[in-house]
């Protein structure tokens, strides 16, 4: 079970080429240090996961949402992968060096009422036959 996500880091997905994916245990071993970049988020992130079976193939879906501080992020043109850190210290990987890659979008909310908060929401959607994986130490 995932506990509250208090930190999100990202790196370009190609850096994960040497990672060893263990789909039978939904885990991954990172063989070398990754150039993770911490995202400036406010509060805790939301993660919704689900799975479905179509024509005998199980597909896993994940949607990560976080409120960013400091405005929109400058995102690279290459696909990203995300490391999610839970308050219990566990790390999870969303995406790998191979397609399909997580789809990253940003939504700006600028309400017309001064009493409401302006914010930028980071939304990461991911669908794959491999579920979100726990990073093994």
């Amino acid at each position: 079970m995932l506990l509250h996500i208090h930190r999100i880091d990202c790196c370009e997905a190609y850096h994960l080429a040497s990672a060893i994916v263990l789909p039978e245990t939904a885990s991954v071993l990172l063989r070398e240090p990754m150039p993770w970049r911490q995202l400036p988020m406010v509060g805790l992130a939301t993660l919704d996961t689900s799975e479905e079976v179509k024509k005998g193939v199980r597909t896993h879906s994940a949607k990560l949402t976080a409120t960013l501080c400091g405005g929109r992020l400058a995102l690279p043109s290459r696909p990203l992968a995300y490391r999610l850190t839970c308050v219990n210290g566990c790390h999870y990987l969303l995406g790998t060096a191979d397609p399909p890659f997580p789809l990253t979008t940003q939504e700006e909310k600028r309400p017309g009422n001064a009493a409401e908060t302006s914010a930028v929401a980071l939304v990461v959607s991911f669908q794959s036959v491999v579920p979100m994986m726990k990073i093994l130490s």
Side-chain angles (χ1 to χ4, degrees), residues 8 39 41-46 64-68 120-124:
I8 301 172
L39 301 182
M41 62 182 258
V42 177
L44 299 173
T46 301
L64 174 69
T65 307
T67 302
L68 301 177
V120 175
L122 177 77
V123 179
V124 178

Side-chain angles (χ1 to χ4, degrees), residues 47-94:
L47 178 66
D48 298 313
T49 61
S50 63
E51 61 183 37
E52 67 179 347
V53 177
K54 283 186 182 176
K55 297 182 181 180
V57 177
R58 184 174 309 274
T59 303
H60 302 270
S61 299
K63 182 178 179 183
L64 174 69
T65 307
T67 302
L68 301 177
C69 60
R72 293 178 65 88
L73 295 175
L75 298 173
S77 59
R78 293 185 192 176
L80 294 173
Y82 293 87
R83 179 177 67 177
L84 312 178
T85 304
C86 297
V87 294
N88 68 354
C90 290
H91 298 285
Y92 293 88
L93 184 64
L94 199 59

